[in-house]
Amino acid sequence: MRNGKQWVGAAVAAVAGFALVNYGNIASSIVVMVLAVVFLLVLMTPVLYPRSLPDDASQVLATEKSVPLVYWRPGCIFCLRLRVALLLRGKKAVWTSIAEDPAAAARVRSVNDGNETVPTVFVGSEHRTNPSPSWVVEQFV
């Protein structure tokens, strides 16, 4: 999450500099900065993701529905890429935030050499870390 916060700060600084150079006045620069910050906050929060369930409930639900179980973290650009690439199919998958559930974080660490690397996608007993969106699409029955 720390890296995500650093990128947000860098992005806001870049937008502020761009706005000041290109628009020349403070008022329009502030408007551009506010819009950029709102956009970044939407991308960095769980707005695009279905409600996160506890790990045990999400495993059961993913098995019952025969859909991928995606472990993610707010602020993860790779999770965002996967979510956007899946479009409407992404809502069918089960999404569990490792930031909200220690058991989910432990499961991710158990298959990633102790690292909390996300997105980690489980389909049955198989898992992939940061898979291509096309692979995840193929897993929907």
Side-chain angles (χ1 to χ4, degrees):
M1 185 74 166
R2 182 176 55 203
N3 289 337
K5 289 180 182 177
Q6 290 171 347
W7 279 107
V8 169
V12 169
V15 169
F18 175 80
L20 284 172
V21 168
N22 288 316
Y23 295 111
N25 68 33
I26 302 281
S28 60
S29 298
I30 290 173
V31 169
V32 170
M33 269 189 351
V34 167
L35 290 174
V37 168
V38 168
F39 177 72
L40 288 170
L41 287 175
V42 167
L43 289 180
M44 303 300 279
T45 59
V47 171
L48 296 176
Y49 302 90
R51 196 174 117 241
S52 185
L53 299 172
D55 187 43
D56 53 349
S58 62
Q59 289 182 42
V60 170
L61 183 61
T63 303
E64 287 175 357
K65 292 171 54 176
S66 295
V67 296
L69 170 56
V70 182
Y71 290 98
W72 68 285
R73 175 187 309 115
C76 169
I77 196 70
F78 301 106
C79 299
L80 179 64
R81 175 187 70 104
L82 180 62
R83 178 64 187 102
V84 170
L86 293 177
L87 296 172
L88 294 177
R89 283 194 177 128
K91 288 201 174 221
K92 295 177 185 175
V94 177
W95 294 78
T96 299
S97 171
I98 66 169
E100 295 177 17
D101 188 1
R107 185 170 190 212
V108 168
R109 283 192 307 270
S110 74
V111 298
N112 289 314
D113 298 323
N115 299 310
E116 292 183 355
T117 308
V118 289
T120 297
V121 180
F122 282 84
V123 178
S125 61
E126 184 181 359
H127 77 280
R128 299 257 174 112
T129 303
N130 197 13
S132 71
S134 60
W135 180 83
V136 178
V137 168
E138 291 171 4
Q139 306 311 306
F140 287 96
V141 178

